[in-house]
Amino acid sequence: MRYISTRGGMPPKSFSEILLGGLAPDGGLVMPEVCPKLDLAKLTQLATLPYPELAFEIISLFVDDIPAADLKALVAKTYTSEVFGSADITPVITLEKNLYLQQLSNGPTLAFKDMAMQLLGNLFEYVLARDNRQINIVGATSGDTGSAAEYAMRGKKGVNVFMLSPAGKMSPFQRAQMFSLQEPNIHNIAVTSMFDACQDMVKAINNDADFKQKYKIGAVNSINWGRVVAQICYYFKGYFAVARTVGEPVDFCVPSGNFGNICAGHMARQMGLPIRKLIVATNENDVLDEFFSSGGYHPRGLDRTYETSSPSMDITKASNLERFVFDLLGRDADTLADLWSGIDAGKGFQLSKENFSKMHDVYGFRSSRSTHDDRLSNIRSVFANYGREIDPHTADGFKAALEHRDANIAMVILETALPAKFEDTMLEAIGQKPQRPAALVGLEDLPQRFDVLEANVAALKAYLVERIKD
Ligand SMILES: *Cc1c(COP(=O)(O)O)cnc(C)c1O
């Protein structure tokens, strides 16, 4: 399998060549040159496989430059009951007839990002050792992504992580999660400013091509293709868990921000998994709901990005959307490059009538938005009706699922985080603090390790230079 850019300006590359990169050199996102297809007979074969074997079968369709035995071992080492809490890896529970919750957040940081990041950690270590290379991941986080990256990369050979976060702005739980890591390759940097300033510092490092190359700076952001591939697997697992016969249609509902998670659902559907609807759930930051209900994509600036009680969805520019629109346009890279040069310049675009219908009728997309009050009332009603605590992001998904549900068709809501991460909102909704997994009780009392920096690029560079050895 070779990879191309959505904007048409990259000669095809292998999986290993794109794994450690971010954007394609032309500013686009990488996509497989062709989408692998699975027929009903093949799907039936996969239906009963345990998670690691299923994941290997799917991932190997996208990776042909790692020997199968090695890839199989990497996948098996990633998806274990030790790391994900059960042999099922993504257990599916029934809320009521034809309404299901697929748990994606039982990994080390209690959010679905672990599903992909844990695999990425093992893939990175393998490829770096094989090619005798090193990578220094520099990122900014306000919560979930940074901790998922650190838990995936901790102790991995050839990898250093430098994670910037706004000093004093994360929840005590999130801070403890990251700062309690003691591995010497993990560097937590508390910046005495806001999240935007952290992000600007990371951007400045990435815009300095010489520095970036000399110090082997990389990233693991949401556009990384390896993350999308890993996420495709759990749509298969969820489908097989609820479909009575392989071939019947199933709907999926996905709390969305950067469009990474549901982009994997789109890929699974393109591969032939019988997904009928893909429902994009947003919060008050409803750029994606606007797109799927009007065909207009208008990313917003930080001045129109609201802080909500489902904070990991507070995104008003959905980077992975470019991948779906590439397919929607029949993979016409020239038209896509035109649209996205507008986006990069701060403009929006409007789909043609024909493409607008296509994204519903051919690609199955629907969308919905919810508010803080919706989240509270849905957390409450799920707790009252089914005895289950769901987190605020999953509550956004629950609302969207009810709106688009067809009682005769199975609907799977993806649970993207555990309520334990959002104590305040849970308390507000149901008057009690959520339960914490036993392993995390007392997390805030562990010793913390971090450095403090001012929001200053020169200071960050000096910090990196001092710690990056050849
Ligand atoms: C990151 C995240 C999301 C959004 O996922 P995307 O892939 O960015 O669409 C939703 N919920 C939680 C809890 C997350 O951490």
Side-chain angles (χ1 to χ4, degrees), residues 40 43-44 46-48 92-94 98-100 102 234-252 272-276 408-412:
L40 209 56
L43 287 174
T44 307
L46 297 179
T48 52
V92 174
I93 58 169
T94 306
N98 282 332
L99 190 62
Y100 304 91
Q102 186 177 8
Y234 53 69
Y235 285 87
F236 281 82
K237 189 69 184 165
Y239 176 86
F240 294 136
V242 306
R244 276 139 297 220
T245 52
V246 175
E248 73 172 35
V250 170
D251 295 338
F252 279 82
L273 189 66
I275 297 176
R276 189 184 63 148
N408 299 316
I409 293 197
M411 165 78 75
V412 180

Side-chain angles (χ1 to χ4, degrees), residues 111-113 144 255-261 312-313 315 391 393 416-417:
F112 90 95
K113 295 198 171 60
D144 287 345
S256 295
N258 243 324
F259 205 74
N261 193 348
S312 299
M313 292 157 60
I315 292 171
D391 98 292
H393 304 79
T416 56

